[in-house]
Amino acid sequence: MGLGCLLALTTAALLVVANRPAIVTDDADVEGALRRASAQRVLRGATAAAMILVAGLVTVSGLAIRSAAKTAAQAARLEDLPVGAVASLLPWVGGALALIGLVGGVVGIGVLFIRTRVPVPAAELVTTEQ
């Protein structure tokens, strides 16, 4: 549901970027460069939001798997029941998923701060007459 809303908002923002003028200019190159810069900002924000959302879900899922597997294995040991290899392996799988989720969240936050250059012909935007 959350990713669907994010997709709808991103699509709406990209349509606004595509249809409204960035600045009043007759130069198509400047207009195109500014549109690309705006679209890149919209997509960077949407990517970061999606990555952080999915990272949180993966982290919580991994921790839940780890906790449930450890509890089930401990209960089986207390009742002198055999604990299979899968029950011994699942806490490690859950921990790995939690770690992957945490790394994904950090990367998602990092996406917000990474700036890429979009070439805008700045010399044509500002003219200084002396």
Side-chain angles (χ1 to χ4, degrees):
M1 184 68 156
L3 288 175
C5 289
L6 179 64
L7 177 65
L9 288 173
T10 302
T11 303
L14 288 174
L15 286 173
V16 168
V17 167
N19 293 327
R20 108 181 142 81
I23 60 170
V24 179
T25 182
D26 293 333
D27 191 1
D29 291 338
V30 171
E31 184 73 23
L34 291 173
R35 285 182 191 278
R36 283 191 304 276
S38 295
Q40 184 183 40
R41 288 184 195 106
V42 168
L43 291 174
R44 187 172 61 212
T47 301
M51 288 180 74
I52 292 169
L53 175 71
V54 171
L57 293 173
V58 170
T59 300
V60 169
S61 299
L63 291 174
I65 289 170
R66 186 172 191 268
S67 176
K70 282 181 116 178
T71 303
Q74 286 175 354
R77 286 188 187 102
L78 286 176
E79 298 294 325
D80 290 331
L81 297 173
V83 178
V86 173
S88 299
L89 184 64
L90 274 178
W92 291 97
V93 171
L97 278 175
L99 183 64
I100 289 169
L102 287 173
V103 169
V106 169
V107 170
I109 292 170
V111 165
L112 286 175
F113 297 107
I114 294 174
R115 293 187 54 113
T116 56
R117 269 183 74 99
V118 176
V120 177
E124 297 175 18
L125 292 177
V126 178
T127 58
T128 57
E129 295 182 25
Q130 297 174 348

